[in-house]
Amino acid sequence: MTDNEDPKKRKESKGTSKELCGYPLSIFFIVVNEFCERFSYYGMRAVLVLYFKYFLRWDDDLATSIYHVFVALCYLTPILGAIVADSWLGKFKTIIYLSVVYAIGQVTMAVSAIHDITDTDRDGTPDNITFHVVLSMVGLFLIALGTGGIKPCVAAFGGDQFGDHQEKQRRTFFSVFYLCINGGSLLSTIITPILRAQSCGIYSQQKCYSLAFGVPAALMMVALVVFIIGSGMYYKAEPQGNIMLDVCKCIGFAIKNRYKHISSQYPKKQHWMDWAEDKYTKLLIAQIKMVLRVLFLYIPLPMFWTLFDQKGSRWTLQATNMNGNFGLLVIQPDQMQTVNPILILTLVPIMDSLVYPLIKKCGLNFTPLKRMTVGMMMAAIAFVCAALVQIEIDKTLPTFPSASQSQLKLLNMGSNPVTVELPGIDPLVLPAAQASDEFFTFDAESISMLIGSPPVVKNISLAKGKRKTLLMTSNITDNWMLTNDVISKPQEGNNAVRFINGMNTAVNVSTPAAAFGVIESFDYSNYSQISNGKSIFTIQNGSQSCEYSRDFGFGSSYTFFIPSTLVIGPNCQESVTVTEDIKPNTVHMALQIPQYFFITVGEVMFSVTGLEFSYSQAPSNMKAVLQAGWLFTVAVGNFIVLIVAEVAKLPKQWAEYILFASLLVVVCFIFSIMAHYYTYIDPAEIEAQFTKKVNEDDDEEDDKCKLQKAQLEMVKKDSIKSHEDEDDTGKQTNM
């Protein structure tokens, strides 16, 4: 058998030299290719929104918007890929060419995440952020073109490798194929966030986004190489045209012809598609009518995807303000997405083998459209859960000053308590080496405060939109120092830490994760980012040193005050004063599990059932059209997120979650009405009726042709006989 021989024309006894356990050897290359490609895509996508926020320094709304534009493009390009494969290049060449584009895009993304390329001052922050933005946008466009373009080709190409006698093996192949999709997704969303959390760099150590993108890029190149290695074993079907183009041409002709005959003098037709009868067969028109009935039901569906795909954007950003410590395991914010594929692998068999049969036994007619309606309600409930979690998170977030406000905290660096009176605030007593418990908010840029007894007036200049700490020495006449404090939660779950030196001599503070350097007397260090867990700080004064340790959570900010009474010795744990400027994340990530559960139940009932329903209601040759329509609803849903994120601008994130849930409930109600009036059909039966009618018409035409032929024969015979009679008459006259 030649490599390009159609396997459907093979006899069962042939081709065994290229089969393994009854399967074509070529499909093993396709399965490995799919696993690597899905690992590459989902791994890159898992860390994408955090890359936008923390590396490119975009705000949450812009990061969310660009993320969903990328996802939308990934679901639009499959339509283009299917047309190119079926009409021009064929599946094999389309997969090869677009995989090359895909790999280039992944490499481009990895390069865009190397901060050292433009970090000329070596402070760990890119100096030319435009370069990284442009490079990443080019990479994402190439990835969207590549992953979307090969999406409709790989599964179909794998199915082409089986003969008619291998129907059982083909079904097993598709099961393994989709298992590889979920397996690649699950592993990548576990591994790439771990890689992202590592520190790397040439001049400065930062979060390693380049490694998180580089590993998926390497997997994509492996996928391409594996696919090429098996090229000699593949059956490569020639392109035979794309049904979507024929459908679009037929619909376009019907619309054009309808408006040509819009005048009342032309007879009305039962359906507007009937105006295409002048050029296209009645069977094709009937098939398109069946497809249009299903596509009409697709109109409300994008709203489900609007909510569903936010688990990779808004929900990941929500997790950055939560506590990911699960005891033996610390979960990264972007790793929470792994709950979805884990639940998918668990819930699909449970729903199919337990829940649906149980509902049927209860006598309930749980039709596919009813399942989809319930699935949409599950997604709405998931966003209500997300809103409740967000409300709990907001309770723990600090209140930062607005653009017209200033905030001030007091730190008594002396060895005696001091009484302080601030404008509009009751007098308070600050113990020695202690700070006020909270920040005080003022509208004025300058305030006067009373200190001590008898009180002494001290004028303090503040800054709008800033937080400051006043370092109060024991000498009131001194020029007291104001420190600039952090005015946002530390990024990526880190903790912002600084030291203030209240001793009369300079000290050096260091830890393996950061070096605070030499801190002069009555001065303070810059903030350093410390990751969660236990950190040990070494405080050195001349030749003497002591150690101070503390356990850190996620997203907090601390000021450690070294008092003048500190005695350098083996341990200075009790002497250092701790001020908590920003509280750590206390809401646990486990609270996100209910919303992931409901959204996954919704996905199983909506997505899986929706595809099953669509395929059952479409003609056999129109499956690709419905697949394109389904993918289009996903793309539109992601564009809706973009519109809402940029237009709504709600002040509270929980309010946005409630807005999305409310919109989906409204859409769900509309869809339930549409579903109520939908009549289920059997496309095969309708096609059979048309085929039978065409055959009967052909038989009738044959009968007419035979009758006309017989009549012509009779006329011909009569004509010949008439001529013979005329000849006889002529002869008699001559005689």
Side-chain angles (χ1 to χ4, degrees):
M1 185 192 78
T2 60
D3 291 333
N4 289 340
E5 182 183 335
D6 189 342
K8 295 175 176 52
K9 296 180 181 178
R10 303 180 214 162
K11 294 181 180 178
E12 284 195 31
S13 59
K14 292 188 178 181
T16 54
S17 61
K18 292 193 176 179
E19 289 186 3
L20 182 64
C21 300
Y23 293 87
L25 190 60
S26 56
I27 63 110
F28 293 97
F29 294 95
I30 296 172
V31 167
V32 173
N33 166 270
E34 181 65 12
F35 175 83
C36 294
E37 187 275 327
R38 289 291 86 186
F39 186 105
S40 176
Y41 172 72
Y42 284 109
M44 177 276 304
R45 181 172 150 176
V47 301
L48 187 59
V49 74
L50 297 186
Y51 167 76
F52 290 154
K53 180 176 181 178
Y54 296 132
F55 189 92
L56 298 183
R57 308 291 175 181
W58 290 348
D59 61 30
D60 288 0
D61 286 340
L62 181 57
T64 299
S65 299
I66 301 302
Y67 173 88
H68 286 284
V69 168
F70 166 71
V71 175
L73 286 176
C74 289
Y75 283 97
L76 282 176
T77 48
I79 301 172
L80 176 64
I83 293 173
V84 169
D86 291 341
S87 302
W88 293 294
L89 296 179
K91 298 183 187 72
F92 176 76
K93 289 183 179 178
T94 302
I95 294 171
I96 291 291
Y97 296 159
L98 290 181
S99 292
V100 172
V101 173
Y102 194 167
I104 293 173
Q106 289 281 32
V107 172
T108 305
M109 279 299 297
V111 173
S112 75
I114 302 175
H115 65 273
D116 289 310
I117 294 178
T118 61
D119 185 17
T120 52
D121 56 4
R122 301 184 181 181
D123 64 348
T125 304
D127 297 322
N128 185 2
I129 202 68
T130 305
F131 170 82
H132 296 274
V133 170
V134 171
L135 209 59
S136 60
M137 292 304 102
V138 171
L140 288 176
F141 176 77
L142 295 177
I143 291 170
L145 188 62
T147 188
I150 69 175
K151 188 189 293 286
C153 300
V154 179
F157 186 71
D160 288 345
Q161 309 306 309
F162 293 88
D164 291 336
H165 66 286
Q166 296 174 307
E167 191 62 35
K168 181 181 177 182
Q169 288 89 339
R170 183 189 283 113
R171 287 197 301 268
T172 304
F173 161 73
F174 282 117
S175 298
V176 173
F177 185 84
Y178 290 112
L179 182 64
C180 287
I181 292 175
N182 285 287
S185 167
L186 178 60
L187 287 177
S188 62
T189 48
I190 292 173
I191 294 173
T192 51
I194 295 174
L195 299 176
R196 175 195 63 79
Q198 306 305 308
S199 296
C200 63
I202 301 173
Y203 306 119
S204 60
Q205 297 291 304
Q206 300 295 326
K207 295 295 182 183
C208 207
Y209 288 96
S210 56
L211 182 61
F213 290 141
V215 170
L219 263 292
M220 188 58 226
M221 287 187 281
V222 170
L224 177 59
V225 170
V226 167
F227 189 76
I228 292 174
I229 289 174
S231 62
M233 305 176 192
Y234 300 139
Y235 160 67
K236 304 163 190 172
E238 293 297 324
Q240 298 175 346
N242 189 275
I243 189 66
M244 284 188 289
L245 294 178
D246 296 335
V247 171
C248 292
K249 289 177 182 177
C250 184
I251 293 174
F253 180 79
I255 295 172
K256 183 179 177 182
N257 203 25
R258 173 68 185 88
Y259 281 98
K260 275 185 180 179
H261 303 83
I262 200 169
S263 176
S264 58
Q265 65 183 9
Y266 297 104
K268 292 184 178 180
K269 294 185 180 290
Q270 188 177 4
H271 192 280
W272 62 271
M273 276 301 303
D274 294 333
W275 288 99
E277 290 177 352
D278 297 346
K279 187 176 180 181
Y280 296 91
T281 64
K282 290 185 177 181
L283 177 60
L284 177 63
I285 293 171
Q287 290 170 332
I288 293 175
K289 287 179 183 177
M290 288 185 273
V291 169
L292 290 176
R293 292 176 75 247
V294 179
L295 291 179
F296 177 71
L297 284 176
Y298 281 5
I299 293 174
L301 303 191
M303 201 65 217
F304 173 85
W305 301 112
T306 299
L307 276 68
F308 179 78
D309 279 329
Q310 289 191 61
K311 60 184 173 57
S313 57
R314 289 296 197 196
W315 288 10
T316 300
L317 293 173
Q318 183 186 62
T320 61
N321 291 320
M322 302 178 77
N323 180 3
N325 190 347
F326 283 78
L328 297 176
L329 190 65
V330 175
I331 299 294
Q332 298 296 326
D334 34 2
Q335 281 182 315
M336 279 302 293
Q337 299 174 58
T338 59
V339 176
N340 177 248
I342 292 172
L343 287 175
I344 279 285
L345 295 173
T346 307
L347 288 175
V348 168
I350 292 175
M351 299 293 282
D352 287 339
S353 60
L354 183 62
V355 177
Y356 294 151
L358 189 61
I359 293 174
K360 189 176 181 181
K361 279 189 176 182
C362 293
L364 299 175
N365 185 20
F366 203 36
T367 62
L369 292 179
K370 289 179 181 178
R371 293 183 197 176
M372 293 175 67
T373 305
V374 175
M376 296 168 82
M377 289 302 299
M378 290 294 107
I381 292 172
F383 263 64
V384 172
C385 293
L388 295 175
V389 171
Q390 189 63 48
I391 290 172
E392 292 301 312
I393 292 173
D394 290 347
K395 292 177 181 177
T396 66
L397 295 178
T399 302
F400 294 108
S402 65
S404 61
Q405 294 177 324
S406 304
Q407 288 185 341
L408 180 69
K409 178 174 273 194
L410 307 176
L411 173 61
N412 180 11
M413 300 177 68
S415 55
N416 298 308
V418 62
T419 303
V420 179
E421 289 187 39
L422 294 169
I425 299 171
D426 294 334
L428 68 151
V429 177
L430 287 178
Q434 295 290 332
S436 56
D437 294 332
E438 57 182 336
F439 282 89
F440 303 104
T441 303
F442 303 98
D443 294 324
E445 288 191 73
S446 179
I447 61 170
S448 297
M449 56 185 296
L450 300 177
I451 305 160
S453 180
V456 176
V457 178
K458 196 88 170 177
N459 294 320
I460 308 297
S461 296
L462 304 176
K464 295 289 187 181
K466 299 290 185 181
R467 273 185 162 189
K468 290 183 178 292
T469 297
L470 180 64
L471 305 185
M472 303 166 56
T473 62
S474 56
N475 190 347
I476 297 178
T477 59
D478 287 349
N479 188 16
W480 290 349
M481 191 178 297
L482 280 168
T483 69
N484 289 314
D485 299 357
V486 291
I487 52 173
S488 63
K489 288 277 284 186
Q491 296 180 348
E492 302 186 66
N494 287 329
N495 301 277
V497 174
R498 68 176 176 181
F499 280 81
I500 295 177
N501 181 16
M503 299 181 68
N504 294 320
T505 57
V507 296
N508 187 303
V509 181
S510 63
T511 184
F516 295 88
V518 176
I519 307 173
E520 298 296 334
S521 176
F522 301 108
D523 203 353
Y524 61 97
S525 69
N526 292 325
Y527 282 101
S528 291
Q529 299 294 316
I530 305 296
S531 59
N532 71 292
K534 186 175 183 179
S535 293
I536 299 175
F537 302 92
T538 301
I539 302 173
Q540 187 170 1
N541 184 3
S543 59
Q544 296 180 311
S545 65
C546 67
E547 289 186 345
Y548 174 79
S549 64
R550 185 172 181 87
D551 286 316
F552 291 99
F554 298 87
S556 61
S557 175
Y558 292 97
T559 296
F560 295 106
F561 175 59
I562 304 172
S564 59
T565 56
L566 174 72
V567 177
I568 300 294
N571 193 327
C572 49
Q573 189 72 29
E574 303 298 329
S575 301
V576 175
T577 302
V578 181
T579 302
E580 190 177 67
D581 299 327
I582 297 176
K583 293 182 178 181
N585 303 339
T586 55
V587 180
H588 204 276
M589 280 187 196
L591 289 181
Q592 279 196 322
I593 294 177
Q595 65 199 58
Y596 273 101
F597 173 78
F598 282 113
I599 202 75
T600 307
V601 171
E603 179 187 6
V604 172
M605 300 186 75
F606 179 88
S607 181
V608 177
T609 306
L611 286 172
E612 175 191 335
F613 162 77
S614 302
Y615 277 40
S616 70
Q617 297 294 292
S620 57
N621 63 336
M622 297 283 177
K623 309 295 186 188
V625 179
L626 285 180
Q627 181 70 19
W630 185 266
L631 294 174
F632 186 72
T633 65
V634 182
V636 173
N638 280 273
F639 281 125
I640 293 174
V641 183
L642 164 68
I643 294 169
V644 173
E646 290 299 321
V647 174
K649 298 291 185 183
L650 296 174
K652 296 292 184 179
Q653 184 57 52
W654 66 263
E656 185 179 291
Y657 290 145
I658 294 295
L659 173 63
F660 279 119
S662 303
L663 290 173
L664 185 57
V665 169
V666 173
V667 169
C668 182
F669 179 72
I670 296 171
F671 179 76
S672 64
I673 296 174
M674 296 169 65
H676 178 72
Y677 290 101
Y678 181 84
T679 304
Y680 290 84
I681 61 172
D682 185 355
E685 183 179 337
I686 296 175
E687 288 177 314
Q689 291 175 356
F690 270 90
T691 304
K692 182 180 178 182
K693 187 176 180 182
V694 169
N695 291 336
E696 289 175 353
D697 291 342
D698 290 342
D699 292 340
E700 189 177 334
E701 288 294 326
D702 290 342
D703 293 340
K704 287 182 180 179
C705 289
K706 289 178 182 178
L707 181 60
Q708 289 176 354
K709 189 175 181 181
Q711 289 173 344
L712 286 172
E713 288 292 332
M714 290 178 66
V715 171
K716 187 175 180 182
K717 288 178 181 179
D718 291 343
S719 176
I720 293 171
K721 186 177 181 181
S722 174
H723 282 298
E724 287 176 349
D725 291 344
E726 288 178 0
D727 290 342
D728 291 343
T729 304
K731 287 178 182 179
Q732 290 176 359
T733 304
N734 289 333
M735 286 176 67

